[in-house]
Amino acid sequence: MNFCGVPLEASAEVIRWHMVGIFLPAFIAGPLVDRLGSRRVAVLGGALLLGSASIALLGMSTMTFLASSFLLGVGWNLMLVAGTTLLGEGHAPEERGQAQGLMELATAWWRLVPPSPRVC
């Protein structure tokens, strides 16, 4: 964000709201899955991710970064909870631990890859 002209203080605020978006929905995501079902919550999370991408395409202002990052966090949380629930439903009880471990391994591979340079 600094490279795109956003001041450091505003960048910190954007990251703060992104973290709120990631963790705050955890209090309602489980009950939401119980009430609406995993697939509907996953679709809702996907819609929020599309909204995040759409807002991000509008520009590089502090507000677009903030709104896009917040929606990205909320959508990620909803899709993670719904996806984890669907993963458990798709396996026999004795397979669930291994399936969860494989999913964690598959989603963490990016930590081993060096980041590519970003261009605004």
Side-chain angles (χ1 to χ4, degrees), residues 1-2 5-21 62 65-66 69-70:
M1 286 181 280
N2 186 28
V6 177
L8 182 61
E9 296 80 20
S11 297
E13 192 68 21
V14 168
I15 292 169
R16 179 179 299 120
W17 280 101
H18 176 63
M19 298 302 289
V20 168
T62 301
F65 275 115
L66 192 133
S69 295
F70 178 73

Side-chain angles (χ1 to χ4, degrees), residues 17-33:
W17 280 101
H18 176 63
M19 298 302 289
V20 168
I22 289 174
F23 294 110
L24 189 62
F27 294 107
I28 63 161
L32 203 57
V33 166

Side-chain angles (χ1 to χ4, degrees), residues 8-84:
L8 182 61
E9 296 80 20
S11 297
E13 192 68 21
V14 168
I15 292 169
R16 179 179 299 120
W17 280 101
H18 176 63
M19 298 302 289
V20 168
I22 289 174
F23 294 110
L24 189 62
F27 294 107
I28 63 161
L32 203 57
V33 166
D34 290 341
R35 184 176 197 148
L36 300 177
S38 299
R39 295 182 199 286
R40 286 184 179 158
V41 173
V43 168
L44 176 60
L48 290 173
L49 292 179
L50 284 173
S52 169
S54 298
I55 291 171
L57 292 172
L58 295 176
M60 292 182 283
S61 71
T62 301
M63 285 309 297
T64 55
F65 275 115
L66 192 133
S68 176
S69 295
F70 178 73
L71 287 180
L72 177 67
V74 175
W76 177 87
N77 182 286
L78 294 178
M79 290 194 73
L80 178 73
V81 172
T84 304

